């Protein structure tokens, strides 16, 4: 969603009625909270962002078969689609005139993701680079899952969801696309905005467990407390998972050894 003046633009995916995806953006009057129009765009819409000139960028995920992901541009002054950008995008983030994006385009034919990274110049209307990671680190990223650009330092942040079960990794890159640091932790990046006004943090985010090895042993019938401490993080979000399911969203998790075995 994006807001322009008194209008709210909402991307409709229709993902729950596959294969009959929606292909519209709803325009909501914020004075009356009523839908005043629908703009026909592309199928299975997802992310949205707006540049300084009032152009709204909307990603389409396609149908995962023959219709590929694209990015559409809507002029918010007349609510018309003005451009179709032929590059895939799962997530994007505006920093000045630069639209940073990555894609994990899934194919149901192959069962695989095609991963790409790029920057689109919204003023000159051209792709500047097809890979903003310049030192080869992208080969270590399994599934990119979050993207942000620091509005002050222009550092680029990318999160890796890995297999969605094990802890992911947050990467920090210089503006030139070279890896500065990375941290594997239990929380991930959410979003980016040039309007964010949070106080700066000193150093990379870090987390530590109340176990030097990251392993815990407990006798059957007993409990052990698992605790994580986050540093250099604003409002960290916690999620303890067991067998792929979230079992706690607190800083600590009380694990009961009710059966013999190893648990992750």
């Amino acid at each position: 969603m994006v807001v322009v003046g008194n209008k709210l633009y909402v991307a409709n995916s229709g993902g729950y009625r596959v294969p009959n995806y929606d292909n519209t953006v709803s325009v909501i009057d914020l004075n009356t909270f009523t839908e005043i129009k629908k703009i026909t765009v592309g199928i299975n819409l997802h992310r949205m962002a707006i540049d300084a000139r009032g152009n709204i960028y909307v990603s389409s995920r396609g149908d995962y078969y023959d219709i590929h992901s694209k990015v559409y541009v809507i002029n918010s002054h007349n609510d018309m689609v003005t451009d179709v950008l032929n590059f895939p995008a799962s997530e994007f983030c505006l920093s000045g005139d630069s639209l940073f994006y990555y894609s994990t385009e899934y194919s149901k034919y192959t069962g695989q993701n095609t991963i790409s990274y790029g920057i689109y110049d919204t003023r000159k209307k051209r792709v500047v680079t097809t890979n903003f990671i310049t030192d080869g680190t992208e080969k270590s990223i399994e599934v990119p899952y979050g993207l942000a650009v620091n509005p002050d330092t222009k550092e680029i942040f990318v999160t890796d969801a890995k297999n969605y079960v094990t802890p992911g990794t947050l990467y920090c890159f210089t503006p030139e696309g070279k890896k500065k640091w990375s941290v594997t932790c239990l929380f991930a990046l959410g979003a980016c905005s040039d309007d964010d006004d949070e106080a700066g943090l000193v150093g990379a985010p870090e987390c530590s467990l109340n176990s030097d090895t990251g392993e815990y042993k407990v006798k059957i019938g007993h409990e052990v407390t698992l605790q994580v401490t986050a540093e250099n993080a604003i409002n960290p979000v916690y999620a303890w998972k067991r067998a792929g399911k979230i079992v706690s969203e607190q800083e600590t998790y009380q694990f009961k050894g009710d059966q013999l075995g190893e648990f992750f």
Side-chain angles (χ1 to χ4, degrees), residues 19 24 28 44 74 84 91 134 137 140 147 190 199-200 213 218 238 250:
T24 64
I28 311 296
N44 196 8
I74 299 172
V84 180
E91 182 68 86
T134 59
T137 304
S140 301
L147 174 65
T213 63
V218 60
Y238 302 93
Q250 304 301 315

Side-chain angles (χ1 to χ4, degrees), residues 133-205:
I133 301 174
T134 59
D135 61 359
T137 304
E138 75 279 2
K139 297 181 179 66
S140 301
I141 302 175
E142 296 180 46
V143 182
Y145 207 66
L147 174 65
V149 178
N150 186 314
D152 297 319
T153 66
K154 304 304 178 184
E155 292 170 320
I156 307 163
F157 299 89
V158 178
T159 56
D160 182 1
K162 298 188 181 297
N163 61 1
Y164 303 102
V165 177
T166 57
T169 300
L170 169 64
Y171 291 87
C172 174
F173 297 93
T174 67
E176 294 75 33
K178 299 185 183 302
K179 179 183 171 182
K180 192 173 181 180
W181 51 260
S182 66
V183 59
T184 298
C185 205
L186 303 178
F187 50 82
L189 189 67
C192 69
S193 170
D194 283 342
D195 297 328
D196 287 347
D197 190 28
E198 297 284 1
L201 294 175
V202 179

Side-chain angles (χ1 to χ4, degrees), residues 18-262:
V18 177
N20 300 312
Y21 294 102
D22 203 328
N23 65 347
T24 64
V25 168
S26 293
V27 184
I28 311 296
D29 185 330
L30 291 177
N31 293 322
T32 61
F33 290 99
T34 57
E35 182 183 70
I36 56 178
K37 68 174 73 171
K38 284 182 180 290
I39 306 170
T40 301
V41 186
I43 70 166
N44 196 8
L45 301 177
H46 191 206
R47 301 300 190 193
M48 305 183 80
I50 184 166
D51 68 18
R53 289 165 291 282
N55 295 311
I56 301 171
Y57 299 83
V58 190
S59 65
S60 164
R61 289 171 288 191
D63 65 355
Y64 312 110
Y65 286 101
D66 300 308
I67 301 176
H68 293 282
S69 173
K70 293 182 177 67
V71 176
Y72 293 80
V73 185
I74 299 172
N75 184 334
S76 65
H77 300 293
N78 57 19
D79 291 341
M80 301 289 291
V81 176
T82 57
D83 289 291
V84 180
L85 310 179
N86 287 311
F87 56 79
S90 302
E91 182 68 86
F92 44 57
C93 174
L94 268 168
S95 177
D97 290 327
S98 297
L99 183 74
F100 289 76
Y101 64 88
Y102 71 76
S103 172
T104 53
E105 188 173 22
Y106 180 74
S107 169
K108 289 193 176 181
Y109 288 126
T110 65
Q112 301 293 322
N113 290 321
T114 299
I115 300 174
S116 58
Y117 305 84
I119 303 174
Y120 177 78
D121 188 319
T122 61
R123 183 179 292 276
K124 296 180 180 179
K125 297 186 178 182
R126 64 182 181 89
V127 173
V128 176
T129 179
T130 55
N131 193 351
F132 57 73
I133 301 174
T134 59
D135 61 359
T137 304
E138 75 279 2
K139 297 181 179 66
S140 301
I141 302 175
E142 296 180 46
V143 182
Y145 207 66
L147 174 65
V149 178
N150 186 314
D152 297 319
T153 66
K154 304 304 178 184
E155 292 170 320
I156 307 163
F157 299 89
V158 178
T159 56
D160 182 1
K162 298 188 181 297
N163 61 1
Y164 303 102
V165 177
T166 57
T169 300
L170 169 64
Y171 291 87
C172 174
F173 297 93
T174 67
E176 294 75 33
K178 299 185 183 302
K179 179 183 171 182
K180 192 173 181 180
W181 51 260
S182 66
V183 59
T184 298
C185 205
L186 303 178
F187 50 82
L189 189 67
C192 69
S193 170
D194 283 342
D195 297 328
D196 287 347
D197 190 28
E198 297 284 1
L201 294 175
V202 179
E206 298 180 359
C207 69
S208 58
L209 297 168
N210 60 331
S211 164
D212 293 336
T213 63
E215 298 180 353
Y216 298 82
K217 295 181 180 180
V218 60
K219 294 181 179 179
I220 293 178
H222 293 255
E223 293 185 349
V224 62
T225 300
L226 284 65
Q227 181 174 5
V228 62
T229 301
E231 298 179 359
N232 295 324
I234 298 173
N235 300 323
V237 176
Y238 302 93
W240 295 92
K241 287 185 177 181
R242 182 175 177 181
K245 296 182 179 180
I246 295 177
V247 293
S248 174
E249 295 181 344
Q250 304 301 315
E251 187 175 350
T252 61
Y253 169 53
Q254 203 73 16
F255 177 84
K256 183 176 182 180
D258 50 10
Q259 57 182 306
L260 186 66
E262 295 182 346

